[in-house]
Amino acid sequence: MAGIRLYQPDEIIKEYVYSWYIRDEQTVTAMKLLAKDRTGSLQDIFDCLGGHILSQVDGFAKTVALSKEQTLALIKLIYLQEELYHWVDIFNPGRQKAFLEEQLARFGQKYALPTAHLSEMIPQVIKIYNPLQRIRLRLQRIFGRVGK
């Protein structure tokens, strides 16, 4: 037997905050209040919470030339991989905002892909081997001598 579980927006917000390894109930409550008007769709909730995170680390987000989704994914990767959640709450960094941005910038080069540079290829002349062409040239030489 299968069942369908419908999640409430509060549960989605709670799990989103927990996915950042933040277990503080005050933070969860603050994020629920922040996104209470944005409960129209799942994407609205994620956009609201992602926008809040990007606003908290705007110094780092402005220096990275990526889309919002890519920047947020990079921030989450660095935040979780380097275990920054032990020192600072990304949803409310407060006085540690400068420390958080410094750590993100420090590890940003480690995890970010280098910027892409388009290369310009020089056109090349490629000679295609054609065995019939060789035979034709030999026949022209032979018949050319005979005609003289």
Side-chain angles (χ1 to χ4, degrees), residues 53-70:
I53 291 171
L54 291 175
S55 71
Q56 295 302 317
V57 289
D58 56 348
F60 175 75
K62 289 178 183 173
T63 60
V64 179
L66 299 172
S67 68
K68 281 184 177 182
E69 293 84 16
Q70 291 171 331

Side-chain angles (χ1 to χ4, degrees), residues 111-128:
Y111 292 106
L113 294 173
T115 56
H117 297 287
L118 299 176
S119 63
E120 186 175 318
M121 299 226 11
I122 300 170
Q124 300 177 11
V125 177
I126 299 173
K127 292 184 179 182
I128 299 173

Side-chain angles (χ1 to χ4, degrees), residues 80-134:
L80 296 178
Q81 193 69 24
E82 298 301 325
E83 299 179 354
L84 297 177
Y85 50 84
H86 289 301
W87 293 284
V88 62
D89 180 354
I90 196 161
F91 292 97
N92 186 16
R95 293 177 303 205
Q96 295 179 320
K97 182 176 180 175
F99 168 76
L100 179 61
E101 288 180 352
E102 175 187 326
Q103 294 302 313
L104 290 174
R106 183 175 145 217
F107 292 111
Q109 296 300 320
K110 178 180 176 182
Y111 292 106
L113 294 173
T115 56
H117 297 287
L118 299 176
S119 63
E120 186 175 318
M121 299 226 11
I122 300 170
Q124 300 177 11
V125 177
I126 299 173
K127 292 184 179 182
I128 299 173
Y129 176 71
N130 187 353
L132 297 176
Q133 181 72 18
R134 269 182 93 182

